[in-house]
Amino acid sequence: MYLIKNAEVYAPESLGVMDVLVGGGQILKMAKDLPAEEAYDVEVIDGSGKVLVPGLIDAHVHILGGGGEGGAKTRTPEIMLSDIISGGVTTVVGCLGTDGCTRTMSNLLAKAKGLEEEGITTYVYTGSYQVPVRTLTGKIMDDMILLEKVVGTGEIAISDHRSSQPSKKEFARIVADTRVGGILSGKAGLVNIHMGDGENRLKFLRYVLKKTEIPASNMLPTHINRSRALMEDGIDYAKNLGGYIDLTTSSDPDFLDPDEVKASTGLKTALDEGVSEDHVTFSSDGQGSLPVFDSHGKFLGLGVGKVTSLYREMRDAVLTDGVPLTAALKAVTCNPAALLKLPKKGRIEEGTDGDLVLADRKTLEIAVVMAKGRVMVRDGQVLAKGTFE
Ligand code: ZN
């Protein structure tokens, strides 16, 4: 058991300075002053001068690797445990990407199981970019009902030259099947939607909201910050239709495409324009392929998107863009938890999972990461390594 003493708790709402007792993988108790001697075999972690926040949820990670768009040699490698936990992320949703041929659902599920065995919490989406959706059992609904880790469908590509160019009706059918699969399995039934540069932007999502009874909470369009025009459409969609939007964090902030919006700045803009702080999420798009530049901006080759960018953009939102800590945390904790219907995730309260990040109050530098009650990072050093690290 661990007793975290005198930390300023952000649940993500600010709760002030508290002690938090973690045991059996869960948050057991929270109070202003918990005596250490109350529990047998308890290790005290000093939280003074630090904030305690929920472990981050990354709802879009290519855990198997992604890429391959420059030929087979550009397929990115599988993710390792330390790539995830070093950035304070304790829950990931794995997905396939452009390549639904050599990357398969069975492989994705096995990788997700492996990461879970190594200590974090994992889920997956069924499908890839393509429509009809490639599934394990043959149908979205069956995958949702029969496979425990499947919480939705994605990433389905629309408004993109790499998309299967589904019709509006085909797209609505995917959302409907995912929703009903979610209802029958007691899961979220969320469709993660890859947004490309196309001029249709969020037209298909507007169509679903207008022509069907499906609520906005079954759809999460991602890469909304890839262009200013899409960002503007996303803000309108969230503000006027109650939609949810997801900003991607893994682009190198020093060499953003001139039209791309840094995720932290995108969050600030969305909030300033009146989008509810409950309707914006961040995800990393981690382990996908990413161009790498030298300090002069010269293209060096391909690298791999980092899950750690999720924490970086949350921190930059607070320290650089002036977003309140609670609002920035929501985008990476309770908001994705609500959309993914994960009641034990994304919040610090008695009975939720022991997924926690302890960070410096001023710099937000990570000191401790705990996943399901186990210390994975301590003094900024990764203690828990993956099987082949
Ligand atoms: Zn994508």
Side-chain angles (χ1 to χ4, degrees):
M1 270 197 259
Y2 294 97
L3 179 61
I4 304 161
K5 292 284 288 177
N6 298 318
E8 205 177 327
V9 177
Y10 280 82
E13 298 79 17
S14 170
L15 299 182
V17 173
M18 293 192 102
D19 295 350
V20 177
L21 183 68
V22 184
Q26 289 196 335
I27 296 170
L28 296 175
K29 247 183 188 182
M30 295 166 63
K32 287 278 173 225
D33 196 14
L34 282 175
E37 59 276 10
E38 188 179 286
Y40 180 66
D41 194 21
V42 67
E43 187 184 326
V44 175
I45 296 175
D46 182 17
S48 22
K50 296 191 169 65
V51 289
L52 186 68
V53 307
L56 274 58
I57 300 170
D58 194 340
H60 186 121
V61 185
H62 298 285
I63 56 175
L64 264 190
E69 291 179 6
K73 71 179 176 195
T74 63
R75 296 168 81 255
T76 63
E78 288 189 10
I79 204 163
M80 303 253 201
L81 180 69
S82 64
D83 299 327
I84 299 172
I85 54 165
S86 59
V89 173
T90 51
T91 302
V92 294
V93 186
C95 59
L96 304 177
T98 328
D99 179 1
C101 167
T102 74
R103 315 279 189 181
T104 63
M105 276 309 297
S106 46
N107 204 351
L108 183 68
L109 259 181
K111 177 69 186 177
K113 282 186 182 177
L115 288 168
E116 182 97 37
E117 285 172 16
E118 289 175 343
I120 59 165
T121 304
T122 60
Y123 299 95
V124 301
Y125 299 114
T126 185
S128 58
Y129 271 31
Q130 282 88 48
V131 176
V133 176
R134 289 172 185 260
T135 64
L136 195 66
T137 64
K139 286 183 179 150
I140 290 173
M141 225 185 276
D142 295 6
D143 275 18
M144 291 278 314
I145 295 168
L146 299 173
L147 306 170
E148 209 179 312
K149 283 203 178 295
V150 178
V151 289
T153 306
E155 56 176 320
I156 303 294
I158 59 169
S159 304
D160 194 298
H161 61 97
R162 294 161 293 179
S163 151
S164 299
Q165 312 302 339
S167 68
K168 283 187 281 194
K169 283 188 177 161
E170 280 175 295
F171 176 73
R173 171 68 61 85
I174 291 167
V175 183
D177 286 351
T178 307
R179 173 174 168 77
V180 178
I183 291 170
L184 291 173
S185 59
K187 292 185 286 194
L190 182 68
V191 183
N192 195 267
I193 303 147
H194 161 102
M195 299 303 308
D197 281 325
E199 297 231 318
N200 277 335
R201 296 189 188 110
L202 292 157
K203 205 166 156 190
F204 281 23
L205 286 84
R206 293 172 194 278
Y207 170 83
V208 170
L209 293 185
K210 204 169 165 198
K211 296 286 182 185
T212 76
E213 300 73 31
I214 297 169
S217 55
N218 285 105
M219 298 184 285
L220 185 60
T222 186
H223 316 322
I224 290 291
N225 51 327
R226 77 181 311 138
S227 72
R228 280 164 213 285
L230 185 58
M231 190 74 216
E232 219 169 274
D233 198 35
I235 288 172
D236 179 75
Y237 171 75
K239 210 166 92 175
N240 298 317
L241 293 175
Y244 295 82
I245 51 173
D246 184 67
L247 311 182
T248 299
T249 60
S250 59
S251 298
D252 184 339
D254 293 329
F255 300 102
L256 284 182
D257 183 283
D259 198 31
E260 203 177 333
V261 181
K262 187 172 168 357
S264 64
T265 313
L267 174 62
K268 170 75 173 154
T269 307
L271 298 180
D272 284 351
E273 296 217 5
V275 172
S276 159
E277 61 185 35
D278 299 328
H279 281 239
V280 187
T281 61
F282 282 179
S283 64
S284 71
D285 200 9
Q287 213 65 11
S289 62
L290 206 66
V292 179
F293 304 92
D294 70 9
S295 57
H296 305 291
K298 188 176 162 244
F299 175 72
L300 291 179
L302 284 175
V304 175
K306 299 274 181 261
V307 166
T308 49
S309 64
L310 193 73
Y311 191 88
R312 180 195 70 212
E313 292 300 311
M314 183 282 292
R315 193 191 55 205
D316 287 358
V318 177
L319 299 182
T320 313
D321 297 276
V323 174
L325 181 55
T326 295
L329 283 172
K330 279 185 168 186
V332 290
T333 60
C334 63
N335 291 355
L339 284 168
L340 292 163
K341 285 207 167 74
L342 306 174
K344 290 193 172 256
K345 300 291 182 190
R347 303 201 68 87
I348 302 182
E349 59 192 34
E350 288 177 6
T352 61
D353 286 345
D355 296 341
L356 296 162
V357 177
L358 190 65
D360 185 86
R361 178 75 196 88
K362 285 206 182 87
T363 62
L364 293 180
E365 203 168 306
I366 293 176
V368 176
V369 179
M370 215 182 254
K372 288 187 275 190
R374 180 175 153 215
V375 174
M376 314 288 270
V377 173
R378 188 131 194 198
D379 303 324
Q381 300 298 309
V382 177
L383 303 180
K385 300 275 181 167
T387 314
F388 295 102
E389 296 192 67

